[in-house]
Amino acid sequence: MIKMNPMSAGELSELNVPTGFGKALAAAPKAKVQWGDLTPIARRDFISWIGSAKQPETRSRRIEKACSMLAAGKRRPCCYSIVSFDLYKALAAVPKAKAQWSDLTPIERRDFIGWMDLAKEPEANRRRIEKACVLLAAGKRRP
């Protein structure tokens, strides 16, 4: 039997918003309206981008930048590549590739994602994801 979570999707996504970001959104009405219009995946990307900052100063800058991007109508954080669920699954199956992926710079990650996304057919995309895992496991930083 499948159990449903009694909370709505909107309530669930709001639980994950970093405190500083929630306060900044409350202070920026245009950004807050745009945030409310985003898909859960787009929200996750903003939250992940902000949360990936290691230094508090970097996190503060990203919160400020996210609010200005949202107020300007942007729907995704700049400099943040969208990683497909298929790639996440493939990386999870190859620990060496996953470790190498974690060590890549944002530009190197974008290069891999861009290369995989060039394959428009689902089967070709799947093959490129597999090849990316092989390259990453071998220590390669570029496709």
Side-chain angles (χ1 to χ4, degrees), residues 47-65:
I47 291 168
S48 179
W49 177 62
I50 291 167
S52 67
K54 293 180 178 132
Q55 300 291 323
E57 298 82 19
T58 305
R59 184 176 308 228
S60 295
R61 281 194 309 273
R62 287 185 183 179
I63 287 171
E64 185 178 316
K65 184 166 182 150

Side-chain angles (χ1 to χ4, degrees), residues 13 38 51 73:
S13 65
L38 294 179

Side-chain angles (χ1 to χ4, degrees), residues 1 3 19 22 31 49 54 57 60 70 75-76 79 83 111 126 134 136:
M1 181 173 166
K3 291 189 175 190
T19 306
W49 177 62
K54 293 180 178 132
E57 298 82 19
S60 295
L70 287 165
R75 299 188 63 80
R76 296 271 191 208
C79 312
V83 179
D111 289 346
R126 186 191 60 74
V134 169
L136 288 164

Side-chain angles (χ1 to χ4, degrees), residues 31 36 43 49 54 62 64 88-90 102 104 118 120 129 134 136:
R43 288 181 186 192
W49 177 62
K54 293 180 178 132
R62 287 185 183 179
E64 185 178 316
Y88 273 122
K89 287 192 317 189
S102 297
L104 295 179
L118 285 174
K120 299 298 180 197
I129 288 172
V134 169
L136 288 164

Side-chain angles (χ1 to χ4, degrees), residues 7-17 35-36 38 40 43:
M7 298 175 78
S8 72
E11 289 171 331
L12 284 174
S13 65
E14 292 304 318
L15 291 175
N16 298 326
V17 175
W35 179 258
L38 294 179
R43 288 181 186 192

Side-chain angles (χ1 to χ4, degrees), residues 18-130:
T19 306
F21 187 44
K23 289 178 183 176
L25 283 174
K30 281 186 174 181
K32 187 173 183 176
V33 168
Q34 179 72 353
W35 179 258
D37 191 43
L38 294 179
T39 65
I41 292 172
R43 288 181 186 192
R44 180 206 63 197
D45 289 347
F46 270 104
I47 291 168
S48 179
W49 177 62
I50 291 167
S52 67
K54 293 180 178 132
Q55 300 291 323
E57 298 82 19
T58 305
R59 184 176 308 228
S60 295
R61 281 194 309 273
R62 287 185 183 179
I63 287 171
E64 185 178 316
K65 184 166 182 150
C67 286
S68 67
M69 285 190 292
L70 287 165
K74 301 274 184 186
R75 299 188 63 80
R76 296 271 191 208
C78 73
C79 312
Y80 188 77
S81 300
I82 299 169
V83 179
S84 73
F85 185 68
D86 292 334
L87 178 57
Y88 273 122
K89 287 192 317 189
L91 288 171
V94 185
K96 282 185 177 181
K98 185 176 181 179
Q100 179 71 359
W101 180 262
S102 297
D103 290 340
L104 295 179
T105 66
I107 292 170
E108 291 168 334
R109 288 182 187 181
R110 255 196 319 255
D111 289 346
F112 266 104
I113 291 168
W115 174 72
M116 288 180 270
D117 286 347
L118 285 174
K120 299 298 180 197
E121 298 296 319
E123 184 60 27
N125 185 266
R126 186 191 60 74
R127 284 193 306 270
R128 286 210 177 175
I129 288 172
E130 289 174 1

